[in-house]
């Protein structure tokens, strides 16, 4: 089915589809010599957030990605199904500041239903970790790009999406709350999920129309050519952003999000 003919609810289901490339697939296809770095230097290493250094073409970059886990249940459990703990966001901030120090661009790949909302995460400062990540991204003194590659849910996604530009693949979703959560709160009715999805404007086209995102990426069934094309587009993006004065880059980024 053509994306243009899909409903918001169908796109929501597509964004969660089994077999869809997760962050690991993007890392393998986009970067060379990737070195993963671990831990937030405070509590633990969160496997839901992959962070490290790699080469994008001839360009060294820092990559931060939310990983939902592979095909097996054990892999998904190890990554907490892509729901990051506070230490995951603190690891991300640590790597962002490192990238700033060494003048490396930052690429974020987002695929999460939302940050983990368990008691332990709240006790360790989940809200503060997300807020700090947003703040640091807004004022980071290097080029940044975020790509929604599946689900972009709530503050868990926004924490890694305050970049110079935000792109989405065409069957991804990005929303302040899941349609299920919205239907539960507004109508106390799980049968209203499709209606909630439509009204929340979660699709790439909806968000592009109101300028919440800057680019829609054609998926082309995630064939090999998809990653080659995306790699070229990311390289060109960072090359163009490197031409812009850093003070103006940060001001433009701040203004972009203040407009919301």
């Amino acid at each position: 089915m053509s994306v243009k003919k899909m409903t918001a609810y169908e796109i929501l289901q597509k964004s969660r589809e089994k077999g869809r490339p997760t962050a690991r697939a993007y890392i393998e296809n986009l970067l060379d010599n990737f070195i993963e770095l671990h831990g937030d230097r405070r509590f633990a290493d969160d496997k839901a957030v992959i962070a490290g250094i790699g080469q994008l073409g001839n360009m060294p970059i820092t990559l931060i990605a939310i990983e939902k886990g592979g095909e097996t249940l054990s892999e998904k459990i190890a990554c907490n199904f892509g729901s990051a703990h506070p230490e995951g966001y603190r690891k991300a901030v640590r790597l962002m500041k490192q990238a700033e120090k060494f003048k490396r661009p930052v690429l974020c790949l987002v695929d999460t239903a939302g940050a983990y909302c368990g008691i332990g995460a709240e006790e360790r400062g989940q809200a503060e970790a997300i807020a700090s990540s947003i703040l640091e991204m807004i004022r980071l003194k290097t080029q940044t790009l975020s790509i929604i590659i599946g689900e972009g849910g709530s503050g868990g996604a926004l924490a890694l999406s305050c970049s110079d530009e935000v792109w989405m693949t065409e069957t991804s979703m990005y929303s302040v709350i899941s349609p299920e959560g919205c239907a539960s709160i507004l109508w106390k009715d799980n049968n209203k999920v499709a209606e909630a999805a439509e009204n929340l404007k979660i699709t790439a086209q909806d968000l592009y129309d109101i300028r919440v995102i800057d680019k829609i990426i054609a998926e082309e069934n995630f064939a090999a050519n998809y990653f080659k094309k995306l790699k070229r587009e990311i390289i060109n993006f960072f090359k163009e952003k490197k031409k812009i004065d850093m003070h103006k880059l940060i001001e433009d980024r701040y203004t972009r999000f203040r407009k919301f």
Side-chain angles (χ1 to χ4, degrees):
M1 182 186 293
S2 167
V3 174
K4 291 182 179 179
K5 294 179 181 178
M6 293 175 73
T7 66
Y9 182 62
E10 287 169 336
I11 287 175
L12 173 69
Q13 293 175 306
K14 194 79 174 172
S15 73
R16 300 166 172 172
E17 193 172 58
K18 186 177 180 181
R20 187 184 182 92
T22 64
R24 285 282 183 196
Y26 280 80
I27 294 168
E28 290 168 7
N29 283 280
L30 295 177
L31 298 186
D32 297 315
N33 305 317
F34 180 70
I35 301 170
E36 187 174 355
L37 302 175
H38 299 273
D40 66 343
R41 302 296 187 266
R42 297 190 195 184
F43 182 75
D45 182 48
D46 186 354
K47 288 182 169 55
V49 177
I50 301 172
I53 306 162
Q55 283 184 291
L56 184 70
N58 295 321
M59 184 189 305
I61 72 162
T62 290
L63 179 133
I64 301 165
I66 301 179
E67 170 62 39
K68 280 188 170 182
E71 291 297 311
T72 68
L73 181 60
S74 60
E75 289 173 325
K76 293 182 187 300
I77 290 171
C79 296
N80 206 34
F81 296 87
S83 291
H85 291 78
E87 45 273 21
Y89 295 110
R90 290 180 178 132
K91 173 168 62 172
V93 170
R94 181 174 76 83
L95 268 291
M96 288 178 202
K97 299 301 288 183
Q98 184 193 79
E100 179 182 77
K101 179 179 179 180
F102 292 102
K103 296 181 171 56
R104 289 192 298 265
V106 175
L107 173 64
C108 294
L109 303 175
V110 177
D111 188 11
T112 180
Y116 187 61
C117 56
I119 293 173
E122 296 300 326
E123 289 174 340
R124 296 193 303 279
Q126 183 71 287
E128 183 276 334
I130 291 171
S132 293
S133 186
I134 292 170
L135 176 64
E136 292 300 337
M137 283 204 84
I138 290 282
R139 65 187 183 186
L140 199 65
K141 294 177 184 175
T142 192
Q143 302 78 23
T144 57
L145 172 64
S146 295
I147 305 177
I148 315 293
I149 61 170
E151 283 189 274
S154 194
L158 186 62
L160 297 182
S161 300
C162 293
S163 294
D164 298 321
E165 287 191 11
V166 178
W167 299 356
M168 281 178 73
T169 67
E170 58 189 346
T171 62
S172 290
M173 63 80 72
Y174 188 28
S175 176
V176 67
I177 189 172
S178 70
E180 291 86 354
C182 178
S184 175
I185 291 168
L186 290 185
W187 297 296
K188 308 291 189 294
D189 186 353
N190 288 335
N191 294 320
K192 296 277 190 176
V193 173
E195 185 178 343
E198 203 65 47
N199 284 292
L200 282 169
K201 306 298 182 187
I202 65 173
T203 71
Q205 190 60 58
D206 286 332
L207 295 167
Y208 181 78
D209 290 343
I210 58 174
R211 294 297 181 262
V212 169
I213 67 164
D214 304 275
K215 186 183 183 71
I216 300 173
I217 303 165
E219 292 171 0
E220 301 170 0
N221 295 318
F222 301 110
N225 195 52
Y226 163 77
F227 290 105
K228 289 179 182 177
K229 185 179 177 183
L230 180 58
K231 184 174 182 176
R232 287 195 302 269
E233 290 175 346
I234 297 170
I235 290 170
N236 291 336
F237 169 83
F238 282 135
K239 283 182 178 178
E240 289 302 311
K241 290 299 179 184
K242 281 187 174 185
K243 297 175 184 177
I244 300 173
D245 176 78
M246 189 54 63
H247 293 292
K248 183 175 181 350
L249 193 75
I250 295 168
E251 185 179 343
D252 288 347
R253 189 189 304 147
Y254 177 81
T255 302
R256 179 189 190 282
F257 285 95
R258 286 297 297 174
K259 283 193 297 186
F260 296 163

